[in-house]
Amino acid sequence: MEQLDYEQMNGLSLAYIGDAIYELTVRNHLVAMGLTKVNDLQKKSRHYVSAKAHAALYQLMENDQLLKENELIYFKRGRNAKSYTKAKNTNVVAYRISTGVEAMIGYLYLSKQEERLQTIMEWIFDQVESGRTNNV
């Protein structure tokens, strides 16, 4: 596989990769939890994979000071990117934050920081499953 130069990629390209990695990681997690019905998987995944969920998770990341300085740089690259698509079922602010979260995930994946990516994804699973994202 060709090595992509994440340092030169724009925020939307990072978010494109990050979205796929994030979605796949969540799907693996849900199936590993024993969920097998597609309808149940779809319903449950919305708690992890939506602009609203990403916005709540990012607020908790800020509160917990979870992200490192370089991760925040890539988050901002995604959040501030000029998108030509419109937010669906959410407001523009949540959509932009979601893009930032996805860009940060893309950066971690492309920079081969597997352990850090796993740590953040496990933290995300803990926040959602404990109901902490419901309070944001």
Side-chain angles (χ1 to χ4, degrees):
M1 186 169 109
E2 185 178 329
Q3 176 65 32
L4 298 175
D5 186 1
Y6 64 89
E7 293 175 339
Q8 299 302 315
M9 292 175 74
N10 68 45
L12 296 178
S13 294
L14 286 168
Y16 178 76
I17 296 293
D19 177 51
I21 297 307
Y22 186 89
E23 177 87 28
L24 182 59
T25 305
V26 167
R27 287 180 180 206
N28 280 328
H29 177 73
L30 294 175
V31 170
M33 289 174 59
L35 295 173
T36 57
K37 294 182 180 176
V38 175
N39 194 33
D40 294 342
L41 289 164
Q42 283 297 116
K43 284 181 184 176
K44 193 77 163 170
S45 71
R46 281 187 228 127
H47 297 285
Y48 303 87
V49 184
S50 69
K52 184 179 175 183
H54 288 164
L57 286 162
Y58 180 72
Q59 182 64 52
L60 293 173
M61 288 175 185
E62 276 192 324
N63 294 349
D64 292 359
Q65 298 180 349
L66 177 71
L67 300 181
K68 297 176 180 177
E69 187 175 332
N70 58 336
E71 295 162 351
L72 282 169
I73 289 168
Y74 285 93
F75 165 81
K76 290 175 184 175
R77 186 182 290 189
R79 182 197 63 194
N80 297 338
K82 176 69 175 148
S83 176
Y84 297 98
T85 59
K86 294 195 176 220
K88 297 175 206 131
N89 305 319
T90 192
N91 63 56
V92 174
V93 173
Y95 183 75
R96 293 177 73 100
I97 290 171
S98 180
T99 304
V101 169
E102 291 168 347
M104 186 262 306
I105 296 292
Y107 153 70
L108 290 173
Y109 174 77
L110 292 173
S111 62
K112 300 196 182 307
Q113 296 183 57
E114 288 105 4
E115 190 174 311
R116 179 65 178 158
L117 179 56
Q118 182 178 353
T119 297
I120 288 177
M121 291 306 301
E122 287 173 5
W123 180 90
I124 287 170
F125 298 147
D126 289 344
Q127 304 319 298
V128 173
E129 290 158 19
S130 71
R132 196 166 172 224
T133 53
N134 298 336
N135 304 324
V136 178

